[in-house]
Each structure stands twice: as structure tokens, then as C-alpha cells.
Amino acid sequence: MWTKFKPLLLILAASLLLVLSGMTYVKNSNEIKTLDAEYESLNSKLNQTEQDIAEKQGEVATQKTESVKKVTGLDPELIQSDSAEAEKYFVAAFSWSNGTEYEGVRNQYIESLGEDNSFTKTYLPPDTKIEINSGMLSYIDFKKLRTTMDSIYVVPTTAEGNRVRYVAFVQYIMHKDGSDLVNTDALERSEAIIEFTAAGDSADGKRRITEVSARTGYSAGLLDD
């Protein structure tokens, strides 16, 4: 008798399993949709929070800049810009690799600053010529000297409108071969102290370095033996 109804029971069992599977699928599908909606909501809130934080940081930065301007009369962004200009202006003086290049750099600064400026007298003195059998040889080439600017730190001292007077502390490395720079931590730094003025319209990006001089009472020529 059970054998007669066994196919029917199997069909009913399979149908019930199919119904249960369908209900489970629908339930899971609804749960996935709910989770997706919650995720989108949380993601939207996160994006809004990040945007609010960025706006607040911008406001704080602006307030900080205005506070510095009010207290010191100096614009931090202008100081940063002038520091970059100073690095571009002075890097050649402390980055040369042979006597010919040195002479070119020296003449460049003399042309810009004048023959009697203290900057070239202190940091770019005339290259001594040494007499050898084949003729005259540059002291720089004889000693195989070269130098590389390592860093420059600029400090404002006075300001009159957009004219700002600075002191620059330059560190440079005297060495004899490019391979020396593989491990600069092992090399001794020399220091130059320079005064200069930055002037011009910052809005037009026409700031220029002028009135350059070696710091009074400080001397450290690059060619000192």
C-alpha cells in the first residue's frame, strides 16, 4: 500500500522543499536589499561627514593664516612661496661640479648683484689658478672639488608691505665624487648664512630675490682649504 503512494509522497515532499526554498530566497533577497539600502545610507553619511571635516579644516587653516597675518603682519603662504623662490635662486651657488661651471655660476651672480657684492665675495670668491707643466689649472679641478646644496631654511625678519627681508640658512656638502652622495648622512655639512629681500606682486607670481648679501660678521668661503 505504501509503495502505491510513495511517488505521490515524493512529489509532495519535493514541492514542499521547492516552496521552502523559494520562501528562503525571497527572504534572503529582501534582507540583501535592506542591507544594500543601509550601506548606501551609511556611505552617504560618511561622505557628508568627510566633506564637513574638509570644510572645517579649510576654515581653521584660513583662520590660522589670518591670525598669523594679524600678529606678525606676514602671510604664511607668501613666506612659503618666497622660500621656494629663494631655493631656486641660490641652488646654483652651492651646486657645481668643476671649475668651468663654478666660473659660470660666479659670473651669473656678479651680473645679477654687482661686482662688489658681499655674497660672491664670501661664497663665490675667484677660483685660484695653479701653474703646472701643461699650463694653468683651476684650483677646483686640481682638488677635484664639487658641491651640492643639501637644504635651505628661510626666516623672515622684517616686512614693509609686500617687501619682506629674510635670513636664509643654507647647508651644502663639499665632496669629490657623485658617488659620495649615496650616503649623505656620513658627509659633513657646511653652512652659509645669507640675507635677502623678496619683493614684487605675489598675485601675479612675479616675486623676485633682491638685495642679497652675506650675513654680516659671518664668513665661510667655499674654496677655503
Side-chain angles (χ1 to χ4, degrees):
M1 183 176 179
W2 288 107
T3 303
K4 181 179 179 180
F5 292 103
K6 188 175 181 181
L8 180 59
L9 291 173
L10 289 174
I11 292 172
L12 290 173
S15 298
L16 180 60
L17 181 61
L18 184 60
V19 170
L20 290 174
S21 297
M23 293 175 64
T24 301
Y25 172 78
V26 172
K27 181 181 179 183
N28 289 342
S29 179
N30 290 334
E31 289 178 351
I32 290 173
K33 289 180 179 179
T34 301
L35 290 174
D36 284 343
E38 291 178 354
Y39 171 79
E40 290 297 331
S41 177
L42 289 173
N43 194 48
S44 177
K45 291 179 180 179
L46 176 61
N47 290 337
Q48 184 60 51
T49 300
E50 290 177 343
Q51 183 177 340
D52 292 342
I53 291 173
E55 290 177 356
K56 290 296 182 183
Q57 288 177 333
E59 292 174 2
V60 170
T62 299
Q63 291 174 358
K64 182 178 179 181
T65 297
E66 291 303 320
S67 295
V68 173
K69 285 182 181 180
K70 185 176 181 180
V71 173
T72 66
L74 299 172
D75 184 347
E77 292 183 0
L78 182 62
I79 295 172
Q80 184 177 1
S81 175
D82 287 346
S83 296
E85 287 299 318
E87 181 174 1
K88 288 191 293 184
Y89 184 87
F90 292 113
V91 65
F94 303 97
S95 300
W96 39 262
S97 58
N98 55 58
T100 301
E101 189 174 333
Y102 177 86
E103 285 297 335
V105 168
R106 182 172 183 273
N107 290 334
Q108 171 188 323
Y109 283 98
I110 289 176
E111 183 178 348
S112 172
L113 304 174
E115 187 71 36
D116 294 327
N117 75 88
S118 62
F119 175 72
T120 55
K121 284 184 176 180
T122 303
Y123 299 117
L124 294 168
D127 183 12
T128 303
K129 303 299 179 181
I130 300 172
E131 186 174 359
I132 59 175
N133 293 334
S134 58
M136 303 301 291
L137 179 66
S138 160
Y139 174 84
I140 290 174
D141 293 335
F142 175 72
K143 288 287 188 176
K144 296 181 180 179
L145 297 176
R146 61 175 61 192
T147 185
T148 300
M149 179 189 279
D150 183 58
S151 64
I152 180 170
Y153 181 66
V154 174
V155 179
T157 56
T158 59
E160 295 180 7
N162 65 357
R163 291 177 59 84
V164 185
R165 188 70 175 166
Y166 292 92
V167 173
F169 299 88
V170 176
Q171 286 195 329
Y172 57 95
I173 300 171
M174 298 293 296
H175 56 105
K176 294 189 175 182
D177 192 271
S179 62
D180 295 338
L181 300 179
V182 172
N183 181 19
T184 57
D185 292 338
L187 300 178
E188 182 180 353
R189 270 85 171 154
S190 298
E191 186 174 77
I193 303 179
I194 308 159
E195 292 182 305
F196 69 94
T197 298
D201 191 348
S202 60
D204 293 339
K206 295 182 179 178
R207 299 287 286 173
R208 64 186 184 279
I209 305 300
T210 64
E211 301 173 345
V212 177
S213 62
R215 185 65 183 265
T216 303
Y218 187 84
S219 176
L222 291 176
L223 304 187
D224 291 345
D225 192 3

